[in-house]
Amino acid sequence: MALETSRNAFFIGGEWVKPASDRRFELINATTEQLIGHVPEGSEADIDRAVAAARRAFEVGEWANASAAQRSEIMLRYFAVLQKRAGDVAAAVSMQNGMPIALSGPFEAGLSFGLLAYYAQLAAALPGDETRESQMGKSTEVSRAPLGVVAAIVPWNFPVVLAMSKIGPALAAGCTLVIKPSPGTVLDSYVLAEAALEAGVPPGVINWVAADREVGAYLVSHPGVDKVAFTGSTAAGRAIARTCGELLRPVSLELGGKSASIILDDADIGAVAQGLPMTSLMNNGQTCYACTRILAPASRYKEIVDAIASTASSLVVGNPLDAQTHVGPMASSLHRQRVEGFIAKGKAEGGKVVAGGGRPKGTERGWFVQPTVFADVSNSSTVAREEIFGPVLAIIPYNDEAEAIRLANDSVYGLGGSVWSTDPTRASRVAKQVQTGTIGINGYVPSVGSPFGGIKASGLGRELGPEAIGGYQQFKSTYVMG
């Protein structure tokens, strides 16, 4: 079916609802810089209506009274319908944020749907109440219940995967959701909503309202919300954490990163170069866990710099809807300016550009930035400290293994990372010493079945894996004394 690029309603309570105001978001194609269409911009009144619909669905009706097995069945129906719309989802994301279609297909329209199926299977097998021994009484009955209405705030870089990483465990637990997508990637949420309607997801279980930051802040503080699940910048996460802290409201925060790749002195440099596009430059560098700090042993520094620069320079930059494209445009003009500002800062601080450094030739339109590699930089330089969120890498030398670990840990962030070595035991030993929530050995790809999240300024809580469901549940202990 053809992808609609202009919309006039929000998905609230299982229906297409007229917005409370006539404000609209313009949607711009990141490659052509041309207008794609318009969608409504949500207001506080739209949020009120969506939260009320989610509350009704949670407290009364089909979803509120569903068993774990019934919730699982509904989720699997939703999964089956989504699979038929994979092409529309991938195209919508790539048009809006510049993600190469070679990535949006398997990730936004593959992995994301798989998340729903994964949590549907877990939902069917969720443990019920259990009885435990009690020291003072006869026993304790421990029960689990869904937290309630979830406010899910989703960024523009992986809009579908990051929505489903909240929808899946929330639905498995029995919660309902109000989802606020980023104004930069809205069309995909309409495809997800259409699929929910076709699959018979009960009214009010999932609601979508696109809005700006101010209305998003209203959602976070709404009295009808029981939990907030946010993915985005560390600065925005801190603001949300302050609000939730004041309200004593549960919150999960998946925030920024400045992850390090530690290349040990015995590493296969060919394997490092081959893994670079996924590990460090995935989604045009617009990936929170991207390993954009490359720590290279001084004894092999030039060899590593040359290999990484060669690989970065060989990547095809162009139209993200072309399957041969490795690197598409930045998601917006403003974001490209931000990335280019960091490149200028890196040059001003004495960094040596060994690949890229500007805009690719032949791209008069589109928010493109060349994959850029800096050499001869220290871990204290701006390009090694700040999350650039673009295709910009800094290669930093180290003298020994202990220094490599120290440099990797010398960051306010702790989200991802990787260790490269031909000795798996050595790599594992080094990986265990890196202060981070996740790390890969000779590569990096998050696993659906394992918890994902950060430490330090990279966030609170975990998504993915069975552990994520616990973040949408509350536990109650009943002490049986006689």
Side-chain angles (χ1 to χ4, degrees), residues 49-186:
R49 188 168 184 174
V51 172
R55 176 60 58 190
R56 286 193 299 273
F58 178 70
E59 294 182 348
V60 298
E62 180 182 351
W63 188 254
N65 297 312
S67 66
Q70 289 169 330
R71 292 199 300 268
S72 175
E73 182 181 352
I74 291 168
M75 293 169 70
L76 287 174
R77 288 204 311 264
Y78 189 21
F79 165 71
V81 174
L82 280 170
Q83 286 187 301
K84 297 186 296 183
R85 297 171 179 261
D88 283 349
V89 169
V93 172
S94 292
M95 277 197 303
Q96 293 173 103
N97 73 1
M99 181 185 294
I101 198 76
L103 183 65
S104 62
F107 272 75
E108 293 293 272
L111 175 65
S112 64
F113 302 164
L115 275 168
L116 189 63
Y118 171 76
Y119 282 107
Q121 294 169 351
L122 292 184
L126 278 180
D129 297 352
E130 62 175 299
T131 300
R132 301 180 186 179
E133 292 184 4
S134 177
Q135 292 85 354
M136 302 301 294
K138 289 186 176 180
S139 63
T140 298
E141 295 176 359
V142 179
S143 57
R144 307 163 187 249
L147 274 173
V149 176
V150 177
I153 301 177
V154 181
W156 49 260
N157 62 324
F158 286 89
V160 187
V161 168
L162 294 172
M164 281 300 173
S165 67
K166 298 162 182 55
I167 293 171
L171 295 188
C175 294
T176 59
L177 301 101
V178 176
I179 302 171
K180 190 200 85 65
S182 166
T185 45
V186 180

Side-chain angles (χ1 to χ4, degrees), residues 190-266:
Y190 281 90
V191 181
L192 300 187
E194 289 170 343
L197 192 60
E198 182 181 342
V201 175
V205 172
I206 316 177
N207 308 271
W208 274 273
V209 177
D212 62 14
R213 291 184 178 182
E214 287 72 22
V215 175
Y218 178 75
L219 173 61
V220 168
S221 64
H222 199 286
V225 166
D226 300 299
K227 175 194 166 75
V228 176
F230 172 78
T231 300
S233 72
T234 296
R238 291 186 193 279
I240 289 170
R242 283 192 291 269
T243 299
C244 291
E246 180 66 28
L247 296 171
L248 297 179
R249 177 167 295 168
V251 61
S252 57
L253 303 169
E254 199 270 280
L255 309 177
K258 191 68 180 179
S259 303
S261 276
I262 300 177
I263 304 175
L264 296 178
D265 54 15
D266 65 343

Side-chain angles (χ1 to χ4, degrees), residues 433-449:
Q433 297 177 71
V434 178
Q435 298 166 359
T436 185
T438 65
I439 195 164
I441 294 176
N442 293 327
Y444 182 102
V445 178
S447 168
V448 168

Side-chain angles (χ1 to χ4, degrees), residues 276 304-314 354-355 373 395:
L276 186 75
I304 291 169
V305 167
D306 289 347
I308 291 176
S310 176
T311 298
S313 298
S314 72
V354 293
V373 180
I395 308 180

Side-chain angles (χ1 to χ4, degrees), residues 334-346:
L334 185 62
H335 188 57
R336 177 172 67 173
Q337 291 176 24
R338 181 179 185 274
V339 172
E340 289 179 330
F342 278 112
I343 293 173
K345 186 73 170 178

